[in-house]
């Protein structure tokens, strides 16, 4: 749905919900493992959920979350509140010092994760996995972990609201990993129907929109497929500051 097609009243009601958003992050790692259970990797999933108290909703107004475009899922949180999930993301965090075999850890997981192998090289004299080629010199961050974003889904109704989805992604990343060496993503329009992937007139504009989204968060191409964000170069932090200011979101730092 384009921003111009949105019901302005619903759009404002959604923006009013931002103060009730809760960020939820969970992860799991194996104590001992091999290949895709390499103990130097952590699988994570994250969500942004609006906490709603139905008893406080006006009886004469249809609840905003009953519009099917505004929620990925709705479930009870406790006896009084429901959680309306508006964004979900998942991925992998790699400990560059303690991962046993990064190639196997990615390749054995899935073909999607194997796409990220070209970002990484061998090990340095301290035992840390290096970045491949010019990336080792280009990336300024000295963090000891790498974050891979596998999938991000935002409820359609929240798109075109001035960067809500981008702010949520950025805020969740803070809790996924506090100081990564880099964050990597494979831009792809995952919401596009599979039957349309071969239609260039539809796929190309959708792909370009996805790339613009990541570029606006300080990500840049690292290979012909992969984009990265270097936390140390300031581009990401500056982009998030601008979005938060435009959305009038109080900073948590």
């Amino acid at each position: 749905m384009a921003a111009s097609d949105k019901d302005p009243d619903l759009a404002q009601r959604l923006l009013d919900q931002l103060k009730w958003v809760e960020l939820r992050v969970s992860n799991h790692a194996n104590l001992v493992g091999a290949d895709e259970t390499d103990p130097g990797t952590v699988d994570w999933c994250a969500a942004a959920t609006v906490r709603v108290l139905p008893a406080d909703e006006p009886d004469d107004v249809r609840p905003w979350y009953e519009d099917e475009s505004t929620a990925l899922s709705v479930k009870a949180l406790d006896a009084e509140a429901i959680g309306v999930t508006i964004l979900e993301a998942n991925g992998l965090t790699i400990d560059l010092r303690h991962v046993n075999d990064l190639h196997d850890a990615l390749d054995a997981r899935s073909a999607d994760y194997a796409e990220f192998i070209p970002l990484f090289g061998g090990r340095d004299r301290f035992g840390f996995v290096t970045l491949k080629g010019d990336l080792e010199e280009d990336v300024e961050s000295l963090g000891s972990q790498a974050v891979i974003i596998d999938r991000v889904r935002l409820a359609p109704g929240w798109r075109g609201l001035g960067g809500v989805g981008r702010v949520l992604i950025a805020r969740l990343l803070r809790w996924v990993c506090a100081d990564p060496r880099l964050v990597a993503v494979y831009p792809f329009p995952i919401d596009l129907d599979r039957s349309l992937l071969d239609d260039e007139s539809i796929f190309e504009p959708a792909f370009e929109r996805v790339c613009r989204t990541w570029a606006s968060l300080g990500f840049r191409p690292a290979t012909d497929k992969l984009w990265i964000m270097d936390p140390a170069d300031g581009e990401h932090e500056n982009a998030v500051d601008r979005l938060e200011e435009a959305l009038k979101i109080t900073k948590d730092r």
Side-chain angles (χ1 to χ4, degrees):
M1 181 184 294
S4 59
D5 297 330
K6 288 185 179 297
D7 177 344
D9 291 334
L10 177 60
Q12 186 56 55
R13 291 177 70 193
L14 295 183
L15 290 172
D16 290 342
Q17 305 306 313
L18 291 178
K19 60 182 175 292
W20 306 114
V21 170
E22 297 178 350
L23 306 179
R24 301 168 182 268
V25 179
S26 63
N27 54 49
H28 67 273
N30 286 71
L31 179 64
V32 178
D35 296 337
E36 75 274 11
T37 60
D38 192 306
T41 60
V42 175
D43 290 280
W44 57 265
C45 59
T49 299
V50 182
R51 185 178 183 86
V52 177
L53 298 174
D56 292 342
E57 295 288 303
D59 293 335
D60 58 342
V61 178
R62 183 190 182 204
W64 61 268
Y65 51 85
E66 289 187 1
D67 186 310
E68 63 179 13
S69 73
T70 63
L72 297 177
S73 64
V74 180
K75 66 179 182 180
L77 296 178
D78 51 47
E80 297 181 341
I82 61 173
V84 183
T85 298
I86 62 176
L87 181 140
E88 294 177 333
N90 72 280
L92 185 72
T93 299
I94 303 166
D95 186 327
L96 298 174
R97 173 65 178 86
H98 295 105
V99 64
N100 290 332
D101 191 319
L102 187 146
H103 182 283
D104 284 350
L106 295 177
D107 187 55
R109 261 182 174 80
S110 69
D112 287 347
Y113 279 117
E115 295 283 0
F116 292 88
I117 292 173
L119 293 178
F120 303 99
R123 292 185 184 269
D124 63 17
R125 61 193 180 93
F126 302 106
F128 286 84
V129 174
T130 63
L131 303 181
K132 201 159 190 177
D134 293 340
L135 281 179
E136 183 65 20
E137 299 298 327
D138 291 345
V139 173
E140 299 176 25
S141 173
L142 301 177
S144 62
Q145 297 181 329
V147 175
I148 292 174
I149 301 172
D150 183 31
R151 292 283 190 276
V152 176
R153 294 178 61 226
L154 176 68
W158 293 83
R159 299 170 189 169
L161 295 182
V164 170
R166 287 172 285 169
V167 167
L168 295 176
I169 292 169
R171 286 294 188 93
L172 286 167
L173 283 175
R174 293 182 190 176
W175 304 117
V176 169
C177 183
D179 185 28
R181 180 85 198 273
L182 59 75
V183 181
V185 67
Y186 185 157
F188 195 84
I190 60 172
D191 291 332
L192 199 62
D193 190 281
R194 190 176 291 272
S195 64
L196 300 176
L197 295 180
D198 294 329
D199 186 335
E200 291 188 3
S201 66
I202 295 176
F203 175 81
E204 289 300 329
F207 176 70
E208 289 174 5
R209 284 195 296 272
V210 173
C211 289
R212 286 197 300 270
T213 295
W214 290 110
S216 69
L217 278 174
F219 284 73
R220 59 180 172 85
T223 71
D224 59 343
K225 296 180 179 179
L226 305 174
W227 288 46
I228 65 166
M229 182 267 284
D230 178 355
D233 68 11
E235 293 294 326
H236 176 71
E237 195 71 16
N238 291 338
V240 176
D241 284 346
R242 290 191 294 270
L243 289 167
E244 290 181 341
E245 183 177 356
L247 289 168
K248 297 180 173 60
I249 295 175
T250 302
K251 292 180 172 53
D252 61 356
R253 62 184 188 280

